[in-house]
Each structure stands twice: as C-alpha cells, then as structure tokens.
Amino acid sequence: MKSIKQHVSAQEWQLRIDLAACYRAVAMYGWDDLVFTHISARVPGPEHHFLINPYGMMFEEVSASSLVKVDLQGNKVMPSEFDINPAGFVIHSAVHEARDDAQCVLHLHTAAGIAISATKEGLLPLSQQSLFALSSLSYHDYEGVALNPDEKVRLVADLGNTNFMILRNHGLLTCATTIADAFLFMYLLERSCEIQLKAQSTGCDLLPIPDIILKGIRAQAQQVTRSAGGGLAWPGILRKLDRINPGYDK
C-alpha cells in the first residue's frame, strides 16, 4: 500500500501511527475478533473527523496509511479504497460526538469481557485491577447489532463521564484523551474480567475488596494511572511491536 504521509499533517500522521500500533497491540494480546470491533481516534483540527479501521482487514495488518478518515455521518473525507463497518461507526461516532475528551474510543469482543457482561452482577471488586475500572464504570443494555442510530442517545446517556463501559451481552469499551491511555484502560478492564472469571471458577468463597477502599479509589486511580499508558507502558508496547510485527508506521 502506498504511504499517505505526504497528504496529511504531521500531527495526523503521528496519530495514525499510534492508532495502527494500537490495533496491532490488541491482536498481539489476543483481544481481536477477526475483522470485527474497532478503535477510533479523533483527528487534530477544527473538523470533527476521526480515523477508524478499514473493514475486512485483520487487526495485525492495519497500518497508518490504511486507516480510513470519516466524518460523524460516516462519510469518507479522504480517498480510500476501503469501507468501514456501519455497526462500528454507530458506537464510535456517538462517543466522539458527545465527549470532547474521548479522543480515542476502544471497543472489543473478548471472551472474558462478554462473559462478565452477561452476568447480572457485572464486574466485582475482587482485584486491585478491578478497582481502577470500577472507579469510572458504566453499563449499557444490549439492543441488538449496533446499526440503529437511535441507540446512540441511550449509549451516550449510559456512558456519562465514565471511561470504562461494559456493553451487556456484547463486550467492553474504554475511552480516553490519548490512544495510549485508552489501551491501558482496556488492559485493566480486560484483566479484571479475566481475574474474576478465574476466581469464580475455583468454586471457593470469594473475598471482595471492602467498600471503604472502593469508595476512596477514584482519587487514587487518577494518581496511579495518570499518563501511565503514554509515559511507561505504551513505549514498551511499541518496542515489542517493532520486534514481532513491524510495519504499522507505513
């Protein structure tokens, strides 16, 4: 594929590199679902445009040049040989339009995430990881495949100002001001679901974290996770990608 680096701003090109890396990192961790689910990022500038994956391309194949730039109506605003998934557009455009701070929106269909989303109790305070998600967690009831524009209003209302969401019978969603932090939030949410399932599978009595700790975790979570994705974890992930799956920056 021919590089489009010369046709976009330096800021957009860097955003494309980071977003393509995020797609490949999701695949590297085994969180992808063939060509389904999406990660989107708001393009710098006054226009409300964002980047999303080309429909039909595996996450491990996504590159900076293959990402599709669209507006809030799902129209391509830059020539591309690829189309986008309408279901992904509904969810992501709703969050981007409603939340200026949601510069990146990450949505996955992991087995652990869907399993927890299908339980009435949802995510429980069973691990330190779960506390960070529980400090800013919301739920959205399942309404079928996300093709109905009317669902956008209800999804946004359920999300509120949270950064973690469990989509009932569907999967997980995180949003953040940076791609790195959205990835970090998803790592915490996904790991929390995995730990809960493992703990429940033992059949033993579970020991929840006391409410007093849960109530005080919001300020602690902000302090511990502030810029942690970009400052520490993200560069390491990029180094690992450079070793095992280079080319995302093309």
Side-chain angles (χ1 to χ4, degrees):
M1 172 175 290
K2 186 177 180 180
S3 174
I4 64 166
K5 182 177 181 179
Q6 303 303 319
H7 301 285
V8 299
S9 68
Q11 279 185 308
E12 180 177 332
W13 183 245
Q14 185 58 56
L15 186 75
R16 285 174 171 271
I17 291 174
D18 287 339
L19 185 56
C22 192
Y23 273 101
R24 296 200 185 197
V26 165
M28 180 175 68
Y29 277 88
W31 300 340
D32 51 336
D33 183 19
L34 296 179
V35 299
F36 307 105
T37 79
H38 313 275
I39 315 164
S40 59
R42 173 86 178 267
V43 177
E47 305 87 0
H48 211 138
H49 296 160
F50 59 94
L51 302 171
I52 198 164
N53 55 316
Y55 195 35
M57 187 173 287
M58 302 290 280
F59 278 26
E60 64 202 44
E61 301 174 315
V62 175
S63 66
S65 294
S66 68
L67 290 162
V68 183
K69 182 158 65 170
V70 298
D71 61 20
L72 284 171
Q73 288 70 48
N75 303 308
K76 288 188 278 189
V77 295
M78 184 174 179
S80 173
E81 61 185 289
F82 302 104
D83 292 319
I84 66 169
N85 185 340
F89 169 74
V90 168
I91 292 175
H92 289 252
S93 64
V95 179
H96 282 291
E97 185 175 12
R99 293 270 298 271
D100 286 338
D101 64 315
Q103 298 294 306
C104 179
V105 180
L106 204 168
H107 168 49
L108 299 179
H109 296 161
T110 64
I114 296 172
I116 295 300
S117 78
T119 65
K120 289 185 178 181
E121 55 197 1
L123 187 65
L124 299 174
L126 298 177
S127 65
Q128 179 169 279
Q129 288 84 350
S130 70
L131 295 184
F132 298 113
L134 288 167
S135 71
S136 185
L137 180 65
S138 56
Y139 291 85
H140 176 64
D141 288 338
Y142 188 63
E143 299 188 25
V145 178
L147 292 171
N148 182 6
D150 293 339
E151 185 180 356
K152 295 168 69 171
V153 176
R154 294 181 289 277
L155 187 146
V156 166
D158 289 337
L159 179 65
N161 64 354
T162 64
N163 295 106
F164 301 79
M165 173 174 265
I166 293 179
L167 303 164
R168 291 292 191 180
N169 310 101
H170 186 173
L172 306 177
L173 183 147
T174 59
C175 59
T177 56
T178 68
I179 292 169
D181 285 342
F183 182 87
L184 174 66
F185 291 166
M186 184 58 74
Y187 178 88
L188 292 169
L189 183 55
E190 170 66 13
R191 184 55 60 91
S192 300
C193 292
E194 292 173 351
I195 292 170
Q196 179 170 325
L197 289 175
K198 288 180 179 294
Q200 291 173 325
S201 70
T202 66
C204 299
D205 292 337
L206 301 181
L207 182 65
I209 293 173
D211 285 344
I212 190 171
I213 295 178
L214 181 59
K215 290 177 181 178
I217 194 61
R218 183 177 297 273
Q220 295 175 2
Q222 291 174 347
Q223 181 179 0
V224 172
T225 63
R226 185 184 297 118
S227 299
L232 295 175
W234 190 244
I237 290 169
L238 295 183
R239 290 193 297 271
K240 187 172 183 178
L241 281 173
D242 287 337
R243 293 195 302 271
I244 66 175
N245 190 12
Y248 58 87
D249 56 346
K250 305 299 184 184

